[in-house]
Protein backbone atom coordinates (compact mmCIF):
# COMPACT_ATOMS: atom_id res chain seq x y z
CA UNK A 1 0.00 0.00 0.00
CA UNK A 2 2.69 2.66 0.85
CA UNK A 3 4.43 1.94 -2.46
CA UNK A 4 1.17 2.42 -4.36
CA UNK A 5 0.58 5.76 -2.60
CA UNK A 6 4.10 6.82 -3.61
CA UNK A 7 3.36 5.89 -7.21
CA UNK A 8 0.12 7.90 -7.09
CA UNK A 9 2.00 10.93 -5.77
CA UNK A 10 4.85 10.70 -8.26
CA UNK A 11 2.61 10.34 -11.34
CA UNK A 12 0.67 13.65 -11.18
CA UNK A 13 3.87 15.69 -11.01
CA UNK A 14 5.14 13.69 -13.98
CA UNK A 15 8.11 12.09 -12.24
CA UNK A 16 7.45 9.34 -14.73
CA UNK A 17 10.78 7.56 -14.61
CA UNK A 18 10.68 7.33 -10.82
CA UNK A 19 7.08 6.08 -10.79
CA UNK A 20 7.78 3.60 -13.57
CA UNK A 21 10.92 2.25 -11.85
CA UNK A 22 9.03 1.82 -8.57
CA UNK A 23 6.14 0.05 -10.30
CA UNK A 24 8.46 -2.29 -12.16
CA UNK A 25 10.39 -3.20 -9.02
CA UNK A 26 7.14 -4.08 -7.21
CA UNK A 27 5.91 -6.20 -10.11
CA UNK A 28 9.21 -7.98 -10.51
CA UNK A 29 9.28 -8.73 -6.79
CA UNK A 30 5.84 -10.29 -7.05
CA UNK A 31 6.56 -12.13 -10.27
CA UNK A 32 8.31 -15.43 -10.71
CA UNK A 33 9.02 -18.04 -13.31
CA UNK A 34 6.30 -20.26 -11.84
CA UNK A 35 2.84 -18.76 -11.80
CA UNK A 36 0.81 -20.22 -8.94
CA UNK A 37 -2.41 -18.98 -7.32
CA UNK A 38 -0.61 -17.09 -4.53
CA UNK A 39 1.73 -15.39 -6.99
CA UNK A 40 -1.12 -14.40 -9.31
CA UNK A 41 -3.27 -13.02 -6.51
CA UNK A 42 -0.27 -11.08 -5.21
CA UNK A 43 0.14 -9.39 -8.59
CA UNK A 44 -3.57 -8.65 -8.80
CA UNK A 45 -3.43 -7.02 -5.36
CA UNK A 46 -1.11 -4.39 -6.86
CA UNK A 47 -3.94 -3.31 -9.16
CA UNK A 48 -6.43 -3.36 -6.27
CA UNK A 49 -4.08 -1.25 -4.12
CA UNK A 50 -3.66 1.32 -6.88
CA UNK A 51 -7.42 1.58 -7.17
CA UNK A 52 -7.88 2.05 -3.43
CA UNK A 53 -5.11 4.68 -3.12
CA UNK A 54 -6.08 6.54 -6.30
CA UNK A 55 -8.62 8.76 -4.49
CA UNK A 56 -6.59 9.09 -1.28
CA UNK A 57 -3.55 10.54 -3.06
CA UNK A 58 -5.65 12.67 -5.45
CA UNK A 59 -3.84 10.96 -8.32
CA UNK A 60 -4.44 11.08 -12.08
CA UNK A 61 -5.60 8.36 -14.53
CA UNK A 62 -2.09 8.31 -15.97
CA UNK A 63 -0.93 6.17 -13.02
CA UNK A 64 -3.01 3.27 -14.35
CA UNK A 65 -1.69 3.66 -17.87
CA UNK A 66 1.81 3.59 -16.43
CA UNK A 67 0.93 0.35 -14.62
CA UNK A 68 -0.35 -1.21 -17.84
CA UNK A 69 2.95 -0.26 -19.53
CA UNK A 70 4.85 -2.00 -16.73
CA UNK A 71 2.78 -5.19 -17.00
CA UNK A 72 3.16 -5.16 -20.79
CA UNK A 73 6.93 -4.83 -20.53
CA UNK A 74 6.91 -7.85 -18.20
CA UNK A 75 4.78 -9.72 -20.76
CA UNK A 76 1.81 -10.01 -18.40
CA UNK A 77 -1.19 -9.16 -20.65
CA UNK A 78 -3.64 -10.83 -18.25
CA UNK A 79 -2.73 -8.42 -15.45
CA UNK A 80 -2.66 -5.47 -17.86
CA UNK A 81 -6.10 -6.44 -19.16
CA UNK A 82 -7.52 -6.77 -15.66
CA UNK A 83 -6.27 -3.30 -14.77
CA UNK A 84 -7.84 -1.78 -17.90
CA UNK A 85 -11.16 -3.42 -16.99
CA UNK A 86 -10.92 -1.97 -13.48
CA UNK A 87 -10.15 1.47 -14.91
CA UNK A 88 -13.30 1.32 -17.02
CA UNK A 89 -15.37 0.07 -14.06
CA UNK A 90 -14.59 3.23 -12.04
CA UNK A 91 -15.25 5.55 -14.97
CA UNK A 92 -11.69 6.16 -16.18
CA UNK A 93 -10.92 6.23 -19.90
CA UNK A 94 -7.73 4.41 -20.92
CA UNK A 95 -5.56 6.06 -23.55
CA UNK A 96 -5.40 4.54 -27.03
CA UNK A 97 -1.82 3.41 -26.36
CA UNK A 98 -3.02 1.58 -23.25
CA UNK A 99 -5.46 -0.46 -25.32
CA UNK A 100 -2.78 -1.06 -27.94
CA UNK A 101 -0.40 -2.52 -25.36
CA UNK A 102 -3.02 -4.97 -24.11
CA UNK A 103 -4.05 -6.01 -27.64
CA UNK A 104 -0.43 -6.60 -28.69
CA UNK A 105 0.28 -8.46 -25.44
CA UNK A 106 -2.59 -10.89 -25.96
CA UNK A 107 -1.78 -11.21 -29.67
CA UNK A 108 1.81 -12.21 -28.98
CA UNK A 109 0.59 -14.86 -26.54
CA UNK A 110 -1.82 -16.18 -29.16
CA UNK A 111 -4.91 -15.26 -27.15
CA UNK A 112 -7.04 -14.05 -30.04
CA UNK A 113 -10.33 -14.03 -28.14
CA UNK A 114 -9.18 -11.64 -25.41
CA UNK A 115 -7.23 -9.52 -27.88
CA UNK A 116 -10.39 -9.11 -29.97
CA UNK A 117 -12.41 -8.22 -26.87
CA UNK A 118 -10.16 -5.26 -26.10
CA UNK A 119 -10.01 -4.35 -29.79
CA UNK A 120 -13.83 -4.19 -29.86
CA UNK A 121 -13.88 -2.14 -26.65
CA UNK A 122 -11.38 0.29 -28.15
CA UNK A 123 -13.47 0.74 -31.30
CA UNK A 124 -16.61 1.16 -29.18
CA UNK A 125 -15.14 4.22 -27.46
CA UNK A 126 -14.08 5.58 -30.87
CA UNK A 127 -10.35 5.09 -30.49
CA UNK A 128 -8.32 3.85 -33.44
CA UNK A 129 -5.76 1.08 -32.84
CA UNK A 130 -2.14 1.58 -33.81
CA UNK A 131 -0.97 0.03 -37.06
CA UNK A 132 1.15 -2.53 -35.18
CA UNK A 133 -1.75 -3.60 -32.93
CA UNK A 134 -4.11 -3.82 -35.89
CA UNK A 135 -1.65 -5.76 -38.03
CA UNK A 136 -1.07 -8.27 -35.25
CA UNK A 137 -4.82 -8.92 -35.03
CA UNK A 138 -5.08 -9.28 -38.83
CA UNK A 139 -2.08 -11.61 -38.95
CA UNK A 140 -3.49 -13.79 -36.15
CA UNK A 141 -6.97 -13.94 -37.71
CA UNK A 142 -5.55 -14.90 -41.11
CA UNK A 143 -3.33 -17.55 -39.53
CA UNK A 144 -6.37 -19.31 -38.04
CA UNK A 145 -8.40 -19.02 -41.23
CA UNK A 146 -10.62 -16.05 -40.30
CA UNK A 147 -9.65 -13.98 -43.35
CA UNK A 148 -13.17 -12.61 -43.84
CA UNK A 149 -13.22 -11.26 -40.31
CA UNK A 150 -9.76 -9.74 -40.81
CA UNK A 151 -10.97 -8.05 -44.03
CA UNK A 152 -14.02 -6.72 -42.16
CA UNK A 153 -11.68 -5.17 -39.57
CA UNK A 154 -9.79 -3.50 -42.40
CA UNK A 155 -13.02 -1.97 -43.73
CA UNK A 156 -13.89 -0.62 -40.27
CA UNK A 157 -10.39 0.79 -39.83
CA UNK A 158 -10.55 2.66 -43.16
CA UNK A 159 -14.02 3.99 -42.28
CA UNK A 160 -12.50 5.47 -39.12
CA UNK A 161 -10.07 7.42 -41.26
CA UNK A 162 -7.00 5.31 -40.49
CA UNK A 163 -4.61 4.05 -43.16
CA UNK A 164 -3.39 0.43 -43.30
CA UNK A 165 0.17 -0.23 -44.41
CA UNK A 166 1.67 -2.79 -46.78
CA UNK A 167 1.91 -5.41 -44.01
CA UNK A 168 -1.85 -5.23 -43.43
CA UNK A 169 -2.47 -6.01 -47.08
CA UNK A 170 0.24 -8.66 -47.18
CA UNK A 171 -1.41 -10.73 -44.43
CA UNK A 172 -4.82 -10.46 -46.10
CA UNK A 173 -3.53 -11.22 -49.60
CA UNK A 174 -1.65 -14.26 -48.31
CA UNK A 175 -4.68 -15.36 -46.28
CA UNK A 176 -6.98 -15.28 -49.30
CA UNK A 177 -4.34 -16.87 -51.55
CA UNK A 178 -3.95 -19.83 -49.19
CA UNK A 179 -7.72 -20.33 -49.26
CA UNK A 180 -7.67 -20.31 -53.07
CA UNK A 181 -9.47 -16.96 -53.47
CA UNK A 182 -7.21 -15.55 -56.19
CA UNK A 183 -9.63 -12.83 -57.31
CA UNK A 184 -9.94 -11.44 -53.80
CA UNK A 185 -6.15 -11.48 -53.44
CA UNK A 186 -5.78 -9.51 -56.68
CA UNK A 187 -8.49 -7.05 -55.64
CA UNK A 188 -6.63 -6.34 -52.37
CA UNK A 189 -3.32 -6.06 -54.22
CA UNK A 190 -4.68 -3.35 -56.53
CA UNK A 191 -6.35 -1.62 -53.58
CA UNK A 192 -3.02 -1.64 -51.75
CA UNK A 193 -1.22 -0.13 -54.74
CA UNK A 194 -3.84 2.61 -55.05
CA UNK A 195 -3.86 3.49 -51.35
CA UNK A 196 -0.08 3.49 -50.93
CA UNK A 197 0.37 5.62 -54.08
CA UNK A 198 -2.29 8.00 -52.75
CA UNK A 199 -0.47 8.28 -49.42
CA UNK A 200 2.83 9.01 -51.21
CA UNK A 201 1.12 11.69 -53.28
CA UNK A 202 -0.49 13.33 -50.21
CA UNK A 203 2.79 13.39 -48.30
Amino acid sequence: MPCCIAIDILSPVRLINDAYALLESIMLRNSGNVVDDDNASSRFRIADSLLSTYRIANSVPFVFDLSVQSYSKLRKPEEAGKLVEQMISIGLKPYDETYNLVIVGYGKKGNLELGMRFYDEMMKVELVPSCSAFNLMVETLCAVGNVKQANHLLTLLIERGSSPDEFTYYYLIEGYRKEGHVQQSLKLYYEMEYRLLLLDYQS
Side-chain angles (χ1 to χ4, degrees):
M1 181 78 79
C3 287
C4 290
I5 293 175
I7 292 163
D8 280 318
I9 292 168
L10 288 169
S11 296
V13 294
R14 288 299 188 268
L15 295 174
I16 298 172
N17 290 337
D18 293 334
Y20 189 84
L22 182 56
L23 263 171
E24 197 169 311
S25 68
I26 295 168
M27 292 171 184
L28 280 170
R29 202 161 57 236
N30 287 294
S31 178
N33 293 324
V34 178
V35 179
D36 53 30
D37 291 338
D38 291 337
N39 213 9
S41 63
S42 176
R43 291 196 301 276
F44 288 145
R45 280 198 296 271
I46 297 170
D48 295 332
S49 295
L50 282 171
L51 285 166
S52 63
T53 58
Y54 171 73
R55 304 291 182 194
I56 299 171
N58 192 28
S59 188
V60 290
F62 180 73
V63 68
F64 296 101
D65 295 286
L66 202 62
S67 304
V68 170
Q69 287 181 40
S70 298
Y71 276 132
S72 299
K73 185 178 177 183
L74 295 172
R75 297 181 182 179
K76 305 291 182 184
E78 296 84 4
E79 288 87 335
K82 181 178 185 290
L83 190 51
V84 170
E85 288 174 344
Q86 289 179 313
M87 287 175 71
I88 296 168
S89 72
I90 62 170
L92 297 177
K93 295 181 180 179
Y95 296 119
D96 50 358
E97 183 56 28
T98 304
Y99 278 110
N100 287 327
L101 287 168
V102 176
I103 292 167
V104 169
Y106 277 124
K108 286 182 176 177
K109 282 207 165 184
N111 196 328
L112 181 61
E113 185 180 346
L114 284 174
M116 281 301 303
R117 195 174 89 193
F118 282 96
Y119 179 90
D120 290 339
E121 180 64 35
M122 187 179 191
M123 297 292 276
K124 195 188 302 179
V125 295
E126 299 186 347
L127 291 175
V128 179
S130 67
C131 209
S132 59
F134 179 76
N135 284 348
L136 188 59
M137 295 307 298
V138 169
E139 181 185 12
T140 308
L141 283 167
C142 290
V144 297
N146 291 339
V147 189
K148 271 191 175 181
Q149 187 181 357
N151 200 13
H152 177 64
L153 291 184
L154 174 61
T155 302
L156 292 177
L157 187 76
I158 293 170
E159 286 175 356
R160 290 286 175 90
S162 188
S163 300
D165 62 12
E166 62 269 25
F167 293 105
T168 313
Y169 283 103
Y170 170 78
Y171 297 133
L172 284 165
I173 290 167
E174 277 296 291
Y176 276 118
R177 186 187 64 78
K178 286 176 182 177
E179 291 187 354
H181 300 299
V182 179
Q183 289 301 317
Q184 188 62 32
S185 292
L186 284 171
K187 180 184 173 184
L188 283 165
Y189 175 78
Y190 292 129
E191 181 183 322
M192 175 186 71
E193 281 201 321
Y194 169 76
R195 286 193 172 278
L196 294 180
L197 282 171
L198 187 63
L199 283 174
D200 287 341
Y201 174 75
Q202 290 174 342
S203 60

